[in-house]
Amino acid sequence: MEGGGQRDSGKRAAEAEAEEYHCHDFEWEDLRAEVEANPAFSYHLTPFPTTAATSQPPPSSEAWRSFHRRHTSGKFFKERRYLLKEFPELLNSKDSAKVLEVGCGNGSTVVPILRSSPSMTVYACDCSKETLEKANEIVCNTKGVHVKDRFCLFLLDVSKETFPDWLFCKSCRNSCANDVDLVLGSSNSSMIEKLPVFLRDDQCCVGGIDFITMIFTLSAIPFDIMPATLERCVSVLKPGGLVLFRDYGLYDMTMLRFLPHQRVGFREYMRSDGTFSYFFTLDAVRELFRASVLVELNLEYCCVISVNRKNGKKMQRVWVHGKFQKPKSC
Ligand SMILES: C[S@@+](CC[C@H](N)C(=O)[O-])C[C@H]1O[C@@H](n2cnc3c(N)ncnc32)[C@H](O)[C@@H]1O
């Protein structure tokens, strides 16, 4: 356990980094009007013909596994410095809070969370063993991040597999479990192969999760299986726990770059490597989370202008940003 001074300086550094982030450079409604009036973008707006899908695409999780096998250098790791500004709940939470990062990739979201508090425990899953190994290497080697007994990675295809019982077993779920003290092994890559958590004999599970982070993961899962995916996530959340959500928003610059043949559904596209990307409206997010019986605390578009350093071109980025709570009585 670290001393209070070290902890405070870690928190201050994270807060200072997060302060650099701006999220309302333009109005989403203005962008919408511009895009919808432009004939060059009309194919993005039309309903998706169900007959257009001639052959079934390979499962998106398989495409992500190949993606990570091809990109093992870790260059897709970029610490999400804005995370704590956007989700201050993580900074203000009780020290022993448990966080589950779904679709952790190389650990971009895990790092600022672990840095922000020395006693939060982070569980992180992904469908790719390669990216879990990379995340383990990056997180364990990041200066100022102490992982011993508080970082745990596991392999899971959240689009079709249920979460392991050691996170929140059925009997604890039914009786709305209180916290269970947890004994973790130290983080090393062999843990990914084995059961990643070592529970004491008298412990059935870790007692559920306080925060779930879903940061650019839900959009990577085909739209039709999003409701079931979200429900699986919510099942391991404690009553009163929060889902912290950030993902691509409708008319983000990356959506407008997709060509007509890359459309695989309404507002849904497949990249040339087979990975999916869905672009959310606030209503689409609202409907999905409401169906999982979550209560909306905050939901908005974040509209940011970023400038391409090479050619000076301005890019209009749109993300959706939301916080949802599992009812205390659930
Ligand atoms: C855009 S990355 C986001 C990574 C991370 N959340 C972050 O903040 O950078 C999406 C991640 O979701 C993972 N993913 C996609 N489909 C998945 C699935 N069905 N089950 C688990 N992880 C999945 C991918 O492997 C990838 O690492």
Side-chain angles (χ1 to χ4, degrees):
M1 175 81 67
E2 290 170 282
Q6 199 174 347
R7 183 187 161 190
D8 288 347
S9 66
K11 267 195 178 184
R12 273 199 303 276
E15 278 162 350
E17 282 167 353
E19 279 302 322
E20 293 163 13
Y21 191 70
H22 313 281
C23 80
H24 289 292
D25 289 341
F26 59 92
E27 293 299 323
W28 183 80
E29 281 299 337
D30 294 343
L31 174 67
R32 183 179 76 86
E34 206 180 291
V35 170
E36 293 184 1
N38 187 339
F41 295 136
S42 61
Y43 63 91
H44 293 292
L45 317 180
T46 53
F48 189 75
T50 42
T51 49
T54 45
S55 60
Q56 273 298 94
S60 63
S61 42
E62 188 42 51
W64 276 103
R65 282 192 277 274
S66 326
F67 172 90
H68 290 300
R69 275 195 292 272
R70 286 194 311 276
H71 301 98
T72 49
S73 67
K75 75 171 182 178
F76 288 97
F77 171 79
K78 188 167 186 284
E79 184 174 341
R80 298 200 184 279
R81 295 185 192 280
Y82 59 79
L83 201 84
L84 301 167
K85 175 163 165 80
E86 293 291 343
F87 299 116
E89 295 78 4
L90 288 166
L91 280 172
N92 303 331
S93 70
K94 62 178 177 147
D95 275 351
S96 58
K98 298 176 179 84
V99 181
L100 170 66
E101 153 71 341
V102 178
C104 63
N106 286 349
S108 303
T109 292
V110 170
V111 166
I113 299 174
L114 282 172
R115 208 203 290 282
S116 72
S117 154
S119 55
M120 271 201 264
T121 303
V122 177
Y123 302 91
C125 67
D126 202 286
C127 59
S128 154
K129 188 166 160 273
E130 277 77 10
T131 203
L132 291 178
E133 281 168 357
K134 198 75 215 167
N136 191 57
E137 187 189 316
I138 289 174
V139 174
C140 293
N141 291 323
T142 299
K143 226 173 144 200
V145 171
H146 303 272
V147 296
K148 194 171 177 309
D149 297 346
R150 51 191 290 257
F151 175 48
C152 173
L153 288 159
F154 61 100
L155 192 62
L156 184 93
D157 181 343
V158 70
S159 71
K160 57 179 187 211
E161 292 170 322
T162 50
F163 281 91
D165 248 11
W166 55 255
L167 270 180
F168 207 11
C169 71
K170 276 209 181 76
S171 69
C172 288
R173 255 183 251 174
N174 293 340
S175 61
C176 291
N178 288 322
D179 283 3
V180 176
D181 283 337
L182 177 72
V183 183
L184 290 172
S186 66
S187 232
N188 62 48
S189 57
S190 64
M191 279 179 61
I192 297 162
E193 309 278 332
K194 299 190 234 139
L195 185 68
V197 179
F198 305 101
L199 295 166
R200 284 197 312 255
D201 284 352
D202 60 340
Q203 291 176 313
C204 51
C205 67
V206 309
I209 294 297
D210 299 283
F211 297 100
I212 292 180
T213 51
M214 297 187 88
I215 313 293
F216 298 101
T217 295
L218 204 56
S219 60
I221 286 167
F223 185 70
D224 59 337
I225 49 179
M226 280 185 201
T229 302
L230 191 59
E231 236 165 78
R232 272 192 283 279
C233 295
V234 173
S235 73
V236 293
L237 196 60
K238 287 180 192 171
L242 298 185
V243 179
L244 308 177
F245 177 71
R246 193 174 177 92
D247 219 317
Y248 294 110
L250 190 69
Y251 304 143
D252 177 49
M253 168 212 97
T254 60
M255 169 179 168
L256 301 175
R257 280 183 182 170
F258 278 110
L259 300 172
H261 73 271
Q262 293 178 291
R263 280 184 96 203
V264 292
F266 188 51
R267 299 171 180 159
E268 190 171 27
Y269 302 81
M270 189 163 69
R271 300 185 186 89
S272 52
D273 62 7
T275 58
F276 276 61
S277 197
Y278 181 84
F279 294 85
F280 292 96
T281 57
L282 298 189
D283 282 343
V285 177
R286 210 162 261 145
E287 212 170 293
L288 264 172
F289 281 72
R290 223 180 254 159
S292 286
V293 204
L294 291 168
V295 177
E296 179 182 321
L297 302 182
N298 164 246
L299 182 62
E300 60 187 335
Y301 287 111
C302 292
C303 299
V304 175
I305 293 185
S306 63
V307 181
N308 183 314
R309 277 203 224 131
K310 279 190 194 143
N311 56 22
K313 252 189 161 178
K314 282 190 178 165
M315 299 177 288
Q316 289 178 298
R317 304 306 316 264
V318 180
W319 297 291
V320 285
H321 176 86
K323 295 169 200 177
F324 296 84
Q325 186 165 35
K326 186 169 182 174
K328 292 215 167 85
S329 57
C330 226

